[in-house]
């Protein structure tokens, strides 16, 4: 039993480290959570169809071409996860912080998973 507890701790730590090194992050709103690189319809409904992604991009005050790349990357019906991930990973730490802050200002929690 002790082996499995240690294994679980190591696994959680490894996942946490790999998640932090990526530009990808999780957003949570209306009892739904998903990674911004997700290709699921729920992300599109909550972020794009509501206009939230337009507001978030604008409020992030990132350079206009980067705002466009993010909006297109997240909301495009032909979303290419790898392209969006490359955009996120190419951002500076300050740019990612500005984007996450804009999400929070629009009612989203960042990297929070709902307790079921």
């Amino acid at each position: 039993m002790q082996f499995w507890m240690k294994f679980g701790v190591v696994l959680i730590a490894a996942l946490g480290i790999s998640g932090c090194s990526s530009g990808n992050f999780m957003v949570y709103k209306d009892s739904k959570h998903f990674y911004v690189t997700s290709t699921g319809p729920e992300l599109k409904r909550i972020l794009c169809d509501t206009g939230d992604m337009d507001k978030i991009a604008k409020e992030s005050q990132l350079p206009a071409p980067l705002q466009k790349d993010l909006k297109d990357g997240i909301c495009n019906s032909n979303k290419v996860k790898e392209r969006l991930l490359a955009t996120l990973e190419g951002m500076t730490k300050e740019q990612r912080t500005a984007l996450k802050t804009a999400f929070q200002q629009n009612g989203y929690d960042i990297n929070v998973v709902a307790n079921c």
Side-chain angles (χ1 to χ4, degrees), residues 45-66:
R45 184 183 68 75
I46 292 174
L47 270 178
C48 306
D49 295 348
T50 62
D52 280 0
M53 194 59 222
D54 290 328
K55 290 186 279 187
I56 290 165
K58 185 175 183 177
E59 290 175 16
S60 70
Q61 298 182 350
L62 295 169
L66 182 53

Side-chain angles (χ1 to χ4, degrees), residues 3-75:
F3 166 77
W4 290 109
M5 289 176 61
K6 288 180 183 179
F7 177 76
V9 170
V10 171
L11 181 62
I12 290 169
L15 289 172
I17 291 169
S18 66
C20 293
S21 65
S22 167
N24 199 6
F25 58 95
M26 186 177 292
V27 293
Y28 174 84
K29 186 175 184 179
D30 297 335
S31 302
K32 305 286 185 204
H33 62 271
F34 40 81
Y35 284 98
V36 293
T37 58
S38 169
T39 57
E42 197 67 24
L43 175 137
K44 187 174 182 331
R45 184 183 68 75
I46 292 174
L47 270 178
C48 306
D49 295 348
T50 62
D52 280 0
M53 194 59 222
D54 290 328
K55 290 186 279 187
I56 290 165
K58 185 175 183 177
E59 290 175 16
S60 70
Q61 298 182 350
L62 295 169
L66 182 53
Q67 288 182 35
K68 183 180 180 332
D69 287 347
L70 289 167
K71 287 190 299 187
D72 290 348
I74 291 172
C75 295

